[in-house]
Amino acid sequence: MKLIAAIIKPFKLDDVREALTDLGLQGLTATEVKGFGRQKGQTEIYRGAEYTVNFLPKVKVEVAVDDTRCEAAIEAIRKAAHTGRIGDGKIFVSDIGDAVRIRTGEAGSDAL
């Protein structure tokens, strides 16, 4: 099993959710986060004063998948989150040792 964590632009969340749902994946966690990458923030003008925003708003999407569906999920996220502009985000993949469904006690891939 794998845990896919994607940091994406906030307005792409619905597209990513829809792409993963189309694959038949159930369950997704989305968290509002702030951060920066190569763009290192941006300069804004508010009431005539210029200031720098060091941390940009992003969304972290996490989904646990079986090994057989990992590549398809990564590609679906990549395509759905792509804008072609700087700050599109990153996808991280980690191994999951085990998963347990609290309600039923199912473990491993059955818990997903």
Side-chain angles (χ1 to χ4, degrees):
M1 295 178 295
K2 304 285 186 192
L3 178 65
I4 301 171
I7 309 298
I8 62 172
K9 292 183 177 187
F11 67 90
K12 286 300 209 170
L13 177 58
D14 286 335
D15 294 340
V16 169
R17 183 192 52 78
E18 191 173 305
L20 292 173
T21 301
D22 289 347
L23 282 180
L25 295 177
Q26 298 175 353
L28 167 127
T29 301
T31 311
E32 291 181 12
V33 296
K34 293 184 179 186
F36 69 91
R38 289 186 183 159
Q39 69 222 66
K40 295 180 179 61
Q42 62 190 13
T43 302
E44 302 265 338
I45 296 177
Y46 179 71
R47 295 190 177 182
E50 190 174 286
Y51 65 98
T52 302
V53 178
N54 291 323
F55 292 95
L56 300 174
K58 300 288 183 177
V59 172
K60 182 178 182 181
V61 176
E62 295 175 300
V63 61
V65 298
D66 194 64
D67 289 336
T68 59
R69 304 178 96 183
C70 186
E71 289 303 317
I74 291 169
E75 189 61 19
I77 294 169
R78 193 190 66 74
K79 284 182 179 177
H82 179 79
T83 67
R85 294 188 299 264
I86 192 166
D88 272 355
K90 296 256 186 331
I91 300 172
F92 304 98
V93 181
S94 305
D95 288 322
I96 297 177
D98 199 6
V100 178
R101 185 183 308 268
I102 294 173
R103 180 176 56 88
T104 62
E106 293 171 297
S109 293
D110 293 335
L112 301 179

